[in-house]
Amino acid sequence: MSAALTILDAVPARSVLQALPQPIIVLDEARKIQFVNYAAEAFFGASLSVLTRQKLDDLLAFGSPIISLVETVVNRRAPMTEYRVRIGSSRFGDERIADVFASPMSDVDGQVAVLIQERTMADKIDRQMVSRGAARSVTGLAAMLAHEIKNPLSGIRGAAQLLEQTVASDEVPLARLIREETDRIVGLIDRVEVFGDERPMEREPINIHVVLDRVKLLARNGVARGITFFEEYDPSLPPVLGNRDQLIQVFLNLVKNASEALERTQKPEIRLSTAFRPGIRISVAGVAERISLPLEIVIEDNGPGVPLDTLPFLFDPFVTTKTNGSGLGLALVAKIVGDHGGVIDCESRPGRTRFRILLPVANGVFQQNSDEVSTK
C-alpha cells in the first residue's frame, strides 16, 4: 500500500476528508484513482470500490480539461486551479460546471489530490440576486408609470368610447381598437405596479402540500386540463412561514407556464415534488447569521425546454419566450419568492424543465423578524 493511502487510512485525516462536502479524489502517477470521499461517491454516483478500479480518464469525458490540469500539476509539482470547468461523465447526464483545485501529494511523487467545487447552485443564486436587483429597478419605473401614464390613458379611453358612438360604422372597429389597446396598456401597468408594493405581508406557518394540492386542483380544471400530474412529496416536511395566497400565485404561475409549454407535447406531464435539503444558506439584509433554505419544491415538465440564450435572464422583467407575453410573470414569481426569504432557479433541456424553489422553515430568524427582513 502506498504512503499516501497509509496517511489517508489514519483516522483523523480520513475523517476530515470524509466530512468535507466537496468531492475529493486522490490519484497515483498513472491517474488511477486511489481514494475518494463520500461527496465524490455521491457526485459520480458510484462507490469507493467501483471508482478505485478506474482511471480518471475512464471517469471523465474525452478531452476533459481536468486531465490536462492533473498532468500540469504532476510536471510542475505545484498546485493549480481551473475555474468554471465543464465536467462531463458517463456517471451523470448533464454537464456540470465546477471550480477544480489540484495539488501534488507531498508524501509520494506523482500523486495528486483533486477537489471539485460545483458552481451550479452558487451561479444560480448569483443570477437570482441580479434578477431581484432588476425587479427593484422596475419598482421605481412602476411608480412613475402609474402616476404619469394611467391618468392620460383614462382620457384616451373615454374619448375612444365617445368615438365609437359617433363615427361611421366602418370606423367603429378603429375606435374599438383604440379602447382595447388602452385597456391592454393599463393592464400591463397594473401588473408592473405590483413590483412597487412594499407593504409587509401577513405570514403564518403553512403546509406547502396544502398549497400544492390547491394549485393542482385549480390547474386541472383550467390551464392544465388533460395533463397528467405526478406527486413526489416528503410528508415530514416542516411548514414554511409565508402568505398562502401569494404562494398559490407563485406555483399556479409556474404550473400555467409549464402547461403552455406542453401544448405540442405528446403525453404531457407535470411533476410536483418536495424534499428537505439541508446545506444551502444565504445572507439576508438585517441579519448577521446566514439563513438556511432546506425546503425544496420542484415543478417539472417534459416540454421542449427553455432556449439556452434566455435561461440566464429568465427571471428578469420583460424577458419572455412567449409571442404575446409581457415578461412579468416569472419576475413577479421571483419577487414573491424573495419576499419569503427564498430563491428560485431553473434547469432546462429538451424533454425536461425544472423550476426549483428553496424556502426557509417557519421558525428562527424569519419568524422573529418577519416584517423587516428581506433577501438581498
Side-chain angles (χ1 to χ4, degrees):
M1 183 176 294
S2 67
L5 284 179
T6 303
I7 293 172
L8 289 174
D9 284 335
V11 174
R14 193 180 192 88
S15 299
V16 169
L17 292 178
Q18 295 292 20
L20 290 175
Q22 294 86 4
I24 295 177
I25 307 171
V26 176
L27 310 168
D28 66 11
E29 61 277 4
R31 295 197 295 276
K32 187 175 186 301
I33 298 173
Q34 299 294 304
F35 170 82
V36 297
N37 65 351
Y38 296 142
E41 292 180 80
F43 185 83
F44 290 104
S47 65
L48 173 66
S49 60
V50 171
L51 292 174
T52 50
R53 293 198 296 267
Q54 301 185 54
K55 294 181 63 176
L56 183 66
D57 310 53
D58 303 324
L59 190 62
L60 301 176
F62 177 76
S64 172
I66 298 179
I67 296 174
S68 59
L69 175 66
V70 170
E71 290 178 345
T72 304
V73 169
V74 171
N75 294 333
R76 295 185 180 181
R77 296 185 179 181
M80 293 188 66
T81 302
E82 285 278 357
Y83 293 100
R84 299 185 183 277
V85 176
R86 292 186 176 274
I87 302 178
S89 172
S90 58
R91 292 286 175 181
F92 47 79
D94 299 335
E95 280 190 338
R96 300 178 180 180
I97 299 176
D99 299 337
V100 181
F101 308 87
S103 178
M105 301 285 288
S106 59
D107 303 275
V108 181
D109 287 342
Q111 295 209 344
V112 176
V114 178
L115 182 146
I116 299 172
Q117 174 66 61
E118 191 169 7
R119 289 289 307 170
T120 306
M121 179 49 63
D123 287 343
K124 286 175 180 174
I125 291 178
D126 286 344
R127 287 201 300 267
Q128 181 68 37
M129 299 303 112
V130 172
S131 295
R132 287 186 194 166
R136 289 191 180 99
S137 298
V138 173
T139 299
L141 176 63
M144 184 274 291
L145 286 174
H147 181 71
E148 300 293 340
I149 299 180
K150 288 179 74 173
N151 288 338
L153 283 177
S154 298
I156 294 172
R157 189 184 190 282
Q161 283 182 305
L162 292 176
L163 284 175
E164 283 186 63
Q165 301 170 11
T166 59
V167 298
S169 58
D170 59 335
E171 295 176 337
V172 169
L174 294 176
R176 185 178 298 123
L177 177 64
I178 296 173
R179 177 174 56 81
E180 291 174 350
E181 286 301 293
T182 302
D183 289 341
R184 187 177 67 83
I185 295 171
V186 171
L188 178 61
I189 294 173
D190 287 340
R191 294 188 67 188
V192 175
E193 201 172 7
V194 174
F195 289 95
D197 187 358
E198 298 295 337
R199 293 173 298 177
M201 63 178 173
E202 295 182 2
R203 304 195 210 182
E204 60 182 348
I206 296 172
N207 184 336
I208 201 66
H209 298 130
V210 174
V211 171
L212 293 176
D213 287 342
R214 171 56 64 90
V215 168
K216 186 176 66 173
L217 178 63
L218 293 171
R220 275 180 165 170
N221 291 280
V223 294
R225 188 178 289 108
I227 296 176
T228 303
F229 279 79
F230 295 93
E231 297 90 31
E232 297 177 3
Y233 293 162
D234 179 353
S236 64
L237 212 62
V240 60
L241 187 69
N243 182 286
R244 179 177 176 274
D245 292 340
Q246 290 198 6
L247 289 175
I248 288 176
Q249 182 180 359
V250 164
F251 294 111
L252 189 59
N253 194 312
L254 294 176
V255 170
K256 177 177 178 292
N257 285 352
S259 303
E260 292 173 350
L262 292 169
E263 287 181 352
R264 299 182 181 179
T265 301
Q266 294 184 348
K267 298 182 179 179
E269 298 176 355
I270 294 177
R271 189 175 302 273
L272 310 176
S273 62
T274 62
F276 192 85
R277 307 285 189 195
I280 296 179
R281 306 173 73 191
I282 65 171
S283 297
V284 297
V287 181
E289 297 181 357
R290 294 171 68 83
I291 304 302
S292 178
L293 304 177
L295 306 184
E296 178 188 82
I297 305 98
V298 175
I299 311 293
E300 180 178 329
D301 68 70
N302 62 337
V306 178
L308 289 178
D309 57 345
T310 304
L311 194 58
F313 315 102
L314 199 57
F315 300 103
D316 289 353
F318 307 113
V319 174
T320 181
T321 59
K322 303 175 186 176
T323 304
N324 298 315
S326 64
L328 292 175
L330 288 178
L332 182 58
V333 164
K335 179 185 184 298
I336 295 174
V337 172
D339 289 344
H340 281 78
V343 294
I344 180 172
D345 67 71
C346 177
E347 297 176 355
S348 185
R349 58 179 171 80
R352 192 194 73 174
T353 297
R354 300 176 77 246
F355 283 90
R356 177 169 63 158
I357 293 175
L358 301 174
L359 294 170
V361 297
N363 57 26
V365 174
F366 272 93
Q367 192 166 9
Q368 297 166 9
N369 305 280
S370 58
D371 288 338
E372 67 271 18
V373 174
S374 61
T375 305
K376 273 191 173 178

